[in-house]
Amino acid sequence: YVAGPEYGTNQPTGATIQVIDLSDPAGDMLEGASVDVAGQTSSRWQMDEFEGVLRVISQPPQWNLQLPPSVQTFTVVSSNELTPLGRTTLQVPRPEQLQSVRFDGPRGYAITFEQTDPLFTIDLSDPANPKQVGELEMPGFLYYMDPRGDRLIGLGFDQGNPEGSITVSTFDVSNLAAPKMLSRVNFGGDWGQL
C-alpha cells in the first residue's frame, strides 16, 4: 500500500492509497486498485492490513485541523478490488494533528501532538463498525508505540520535565475502555531530542 496526498485548489485535501501487487515470484509488480481516504497519511503506521481488512487512520491537513482524524476500513477482495467497510471519526478534546498511530490485531492506538495528550484506543474487532472506546491523558506525547498484546510500549517526549524530556512508558491496554500507564522513565536532560 502506497499513500499520497490528493490536491484540490493547490492544497492537499484527502489522500489516495494505491495497491501494488507484489505476489509474482519473478518480482514483477502490478498496479492494483486505489481507494480514497478522508485525510492525509503521513506515516506507514497509519495503514495496516489484518485478516483481509485494510485499516487506515488519517488526518486533515495541518492547516485544517477543524476536521477530526478519521478511522476507515476496507475489505480487501483482491489487489484489484477494495470495498469500503466501516468508518468513524475520533473524538479529540481539541483540534490537533496525529503524532503516532499503531495497529495490533483487532486494536488500534492513536496519539495526538499537544504536550498533554490522550492515548486513544480503538476497537477494530468488528471492522464494519470501528469504535473509539477509551483514552488516557498523560504529559507529553509519544513518537512511537510498540504493541505487545495487553501491553503497549511508548517512546516519547515530555519537554520541560526535570527528570529528562525523553520518555519510555509502558501501558496496560488489556481493557481498551480504560488504558493505564504502568510506568514511565524520563532521561536525556531538559532538551533531549529523538
Side-chain angles (χ1 to χ4, degrees):
Y1 299 102
V2 179
E6 288 293 325
Y7 285 84
T9 62
N10 298 322
Q11 301 293 329
T13 53
T16 298
I17 296 176
Q18 178 72 52
V19 179
I20 306 297
D21 185 344
L22 306 171
S23 63
D24 185 306
D28 289 334
M29 296 182 285
L30 297 173
E31 186 176 318
S34 65
V35 293
D36 294 328
V37 293
Q40 304 291 302
T41 50
S42 56
S43 160
R44 73 152 319 279
W45 305 111
Q46 289 177 245
M47 302 181 290
D48 180 74
E49 183 183 339
F50 179 69
E51 295 183 345
V53 176
L54 173 65
R55 298 96 55 87
V56 180
I57 299 178
S58 63
Q59 61 195 12
Q62 292 180 11
W63 55 86
N64 187 15
L65 294 178
Q66 299 309 313
L67 299 173
S70 178
V71 180
Q72 293 173 268
T73 58
F74 302 86
T75 301
V76 180
V77 179
S78 71
S79 62
N80 291 312
E81 185 180 355
L82 277 70
T83 57
L85 183 60
R87 182 175 179 170
T88 191
T89 55
L90 292 181
Q91 303 303 309
V92 296
R94 58 201 157 273
E96 58 184 297
Q97 190 174 14
L98 289 171
Q99 177 65 36
S100 181
V101 172
R102 279 306 293 265
F103 294 96
D104 185 33
R107 302 172 178 195
Y109 306 100
I111 296 280
T112 50
F113 186 74
E114 292 287 333
Q115 289 294 311
T116 299
D117 267 339
L119 161 65
F120 299 103
T121 56
I122 303 154
D123 183 353
L124 296 161
S125 59
D126 177 1
N129 296 294
K131 294 181 182 139
Q132 178 180 343
V133 292
E135 68 180 71
L136 170 67
E137 192 166 296
M138 63 188 148
F141 58 81
L142 300 180
Y143 279 113
Y144 176 77
M145 293 181 280
D146 191 26
R148 302 285 178 107
D150 286 342
R151 295 287 187 266
L152 186 68
I153 300 168
L155 177 63
F157 190 72
D158 183 11
Q159 185 175 5
N161 189 308
E163 297 174 22
S165 55
I166 299 174
T167 66
V168 175
S169 308
T170 56
F171 302 90
D172 180 348
V173 290
S174 57
N175 179 356
L176 275 183
K180 298 176 192 167
M181 183 184 296
L182 296 175
S183 180
R184 173 170 277 185
V185 175
N186 292 69
F187 60 97
D190 289 341
W191 295 99
Q193 294 184 5
L194 296 173

